[in-house]
Amino acid sequence: LSLACGPVAALAQTGSNPAGTSTSATASPTPSALDGELFYQLLLGELNARGSEPGAGYALILDAARKTNDPKLYQRAVEIAFQSRSGDAALQAARAWREAQPTSREANRMLMQILIALNRLAESAEPLRADIALTPAPERNVALSLVPRHYARAADRKLAAGVVEQALATYLTQAGTGAAAWTTVGRMRLAASDTAGALEAARRGQAANPRAEGPALLALELMDPKTPQAEVLVRRYMEGEPIPELRMSYARALLDAQRYAEAASQLQFVTTSRPTFAEAWLVLGTLQVQDNQLPAAEASLKRYVELAGEQAAGE
């Protein structure tokens, strides 16, 4: 019974302020939206959802969500539908939530994720577009970078890439978001095995912002003897002041290609710009041993041991 009352307690705490807006310290307390009838409706809905009638429980909770416009109840209705393995019911609840609260990022994202899970990819473009539009401008590039995760399990990767590119069309041409949006499009194309398309997206992303890390990281993933243009983009980014982590990633790619001298050169840059980067000293020391530079290798490996010991002590 105590478990079933969880959503009831949540609604009582929300009261008549379901949007979570702040009130002044001197404002008088507002009465709870939870009256006796609604209390029993929620209780009965939870008991049915946890018992043998999940469909009835879902209907009661969704009806309560519509009456109260409470996002927690809409979310609970979606959860009950998922527990009952009813994708259509989950979609109905998510659409009702989004219709009631069109400016809610949570509602838009839930609708988008359900549409993707149901393999209704074309329909996911609109809530994706709305989710990015509702994201505050300072957080928008981060939101754009997370888009490929939402579509990671899409059955049709090629269609998913097209849907995302369509949804992000506005952001591809904006100065503040162009690099991040093109990087996202490139990752979607790469997931769809469109290497040439991914490389073109990386190129456009770097053209939008030459100092953006996203296009350079995408180009690093594309580095291959068959795609020499990818390394051109990486080297162009390295001409500035890249973060040590990205230069370290480039060094690893060079090591994978057995280009040891070039890798050592990049590692020298890393250890100079960030002397506390322990892994760089370890890899550099190993390369120096291979090149028979024993005094330098000894110094590098000693530095690694010192840094590793300091990190272990700090933990």
Side-chain angles (χ1 to χ4, degrees), residues 208-272:
N209 183 357
R211 300 318 311 149
E213 298 168 12
L217 285 169
L218 176 59
L220 265 173
E221 292 183 37
L222 293 166
M223 269 186 60
D224 186 90
K226 297 179 181 178
T227 54
Q229 286 302 312
E231 188 172 1
V232 172
L233 298 179
V234 175
R235 286 186 172 277
R236 190 174 297 158
Y237 175 80
M238 293 294 168
E239 291 171 359
E241 296 182 0
I243 59 173
E245 288 81 3
L246 203 150
R247 195 181 285 278
M248 186 70 197
S249 296
Y250 182 39
R252 292 192 194 99
L254 292 171
L255 286 171
D256 290 340
Q258 299 183 352
R259 293 160 59 182
Y260 302 123
E262 294 171 81
S265 176
Q266 294 299 322
L267 290 166
Q268 292 282 6
F269 276 113
V270 175
T271 54
T272 301

Side-chain angles (χ1 to χ4, degrees), residues 7 46 58 72-85 90 93 110:
E46 283 296 323
Y58 162 83
K72 292 180 181 178
L73 293 181
Y74 280 115
Q75 187 171 9
R76 179 61 183 143
V78 172
E79 291 172 357
I80 294 171
F82 275 133
Q83 290 167 4
S84 303
R85 298 185 178 182
M110 180 66 74

Side-chain angles (χ1 to χ4, degrees), residues 98 108 111 121-131 151 163 167:
R98 201 276 182 94
N108 273 282
L111 177 58
L121 299 178
E123 296 175 56
S124 71
E126 199 278 327
L128 170 59
R129 190 182 300 112
D131 178 58
Y151 288 85
V163 167

Side-chain angles (χ1 to χ4, degrees), residues 57-143:
Y58 162 83
L60 288 166
I61 297 297
L62 181 56
D63 180 64
R66 287 181 167 131
K67 289 177 180 176
T68 62
N69 199 30
D70 189 290
K72 292 180 181 178
L73 293 181
Y74 280 115
Q75 187 171 9
R76 179 61 183 143
V78 172
E79 291 172 357
I80 294 171
F82 275 133
Q83 290 167 4
S84 303
R85 298 185 178 182
S86 176
D88 289 340
L91 181 59
Q92 179 189 8
R95 280 180 166 156
W97 184 6
R98 201 276 182 94
E99 183 178 349
Q101 300 178 3
T103 60
S104 166
R105 289 185 65 194
E106 290 77 11
N108 273 282
R109 193 176 296 118
M110 180 66 74
L111 177 58
M112 175 184 66
Q113 290 172 347
I114 291 173
L115 287 168
I116 295 170
L118 294 176
N119 203 31
R120 298 170 69 162
L121 299 178
E123 296 175 56
S124 71
E126 199 278 327
L128 170 59
R129 190 182 300 112
D131 178 58
I132 301 299
L134 290 168
T135 303
E139 304 171 16
R140 196 160 286 157
N141 283 341
V142 175

Side-chain angles (χ1 to χ4, degrees), residues 10 23 33 38 41 81 95 101 117 143 146 165 175 189 202 218 238-239 263 286 301:
T23 56
L38 184 58
Q41 179 176 345
R95 280 180 166 156
Q101 300 178 3
L146 295 175
E165 185 169 354
R189 290 176 177 177
L218 176 59
M238 293 294 168
E239 291 171 359
T286 303
L301 294 174

